[in-house]
Amino acid sequence: AQSVTQPDIHITVSEGASLELRCNYSYGATPYLFWYVQSPGQGLQLLLKYFSGDTLVQGIKGFEAEFKRSQSSFNLRKPSVHWSDAAEYFCAVRRAAGGTSYGKLTFGQGTILTVHP
Amino acid sequence: IAGITQAPTSQILAAGRRMTLRCTQDMRHNAMYWYRQDLGLGLRLIHYSNTAGTTGKGEVPDGYSVSRANTDDFPLTLASAVPSQTSVYFCASSDYRDREKNIQYFGAGTRLSVL
């Protein structure tokens, strides 16, 4: 069965500092990978996705993520964090194609980001 | 465009009571999903529906039921609520027919407390 691990439950950074949120997955088939962000009291918003091709993908709000197949990782990065980036971030995986279950997402546990001024 | 609307926003419910969480989408997506979010566990899939008239069980289906009578609505029912069902519930939808664009969009959630 597939699984997603986000090793860091809570990360605190200063505004303007760089950020990297880790995501590791275990998946038997070719995965599609996603990062979602959840602001307090809100639903989830898609930040970026990886389907195939260039392993460095750009998303909204200045975020990027790099897919590393050899490490089964899909880490999220941002060069300079803004106070408005404080939120909870979720990594998710689903199978690329085939079968009735291919639309279903498996989520990591989430990483809470706190930004200090 | 409203996207996905969930109701109620929050609810306090006595154990043993029946409760239906409502979810409506206006994007004509054929697939819909219900997740529960618990601290430290992320989001876990409860039930899903790939198209109107069909439903399937997710990772944590026990104690929940769903129906999909039409494309737009996907209600989640707790027949007899228990305290362990205290959680935040999210509904999502996606265009299941387009494999490349099968992106899930989420509602704002329903916060449910079962006492």
Side-chain angles (χ1 to χ4, degrees), chain B residues 1 6 10 15 20 41 48 51 54 59 71 74 77 84 91 101:
Chain B
I1 296 178
Q6 290 186 237
S10 64
T20 295
L41 297 177
Y48 67 96
T51 190
T54 69
E59 182 183 356
T71 297
F74 191 44
T77 297
S84 62
C91 180
K101 297 181 180 179

Side-chain angles (χ1 to χ4, degrees), chain A residues 32-34 36 46 49-51 92-105, chain B residues 29-33 35 48-50 92-106:
Chain A
Y32 283 175
L33 296 157
F34 305 84
Y36 283 86
L46 182 67
K49 61 188 182 293
Y50 173 78
F51 288 163
V93 61
R94 70 167 171 88
R95 61 187 298 171
T100 59
S101 65
Y102 87 93
K104 293 186 289 186
L105 288 171
Chain B
H29 284 166
N30 48 5
M32 298 187 74
Y33 312 83
Y35 295 88
Y48 67 96
S49 169
N50 288 338
S93 72
S94 68
D95 185 352
Y96 182 81
R97 293 162 295 187
D98 187 325
R99 295 184 174 187
E100 290 294 321
K101 297 181 180 179
N102 190 2
I103 305 298
Q104 291 189 25
Y105 296 89
F106 286 80

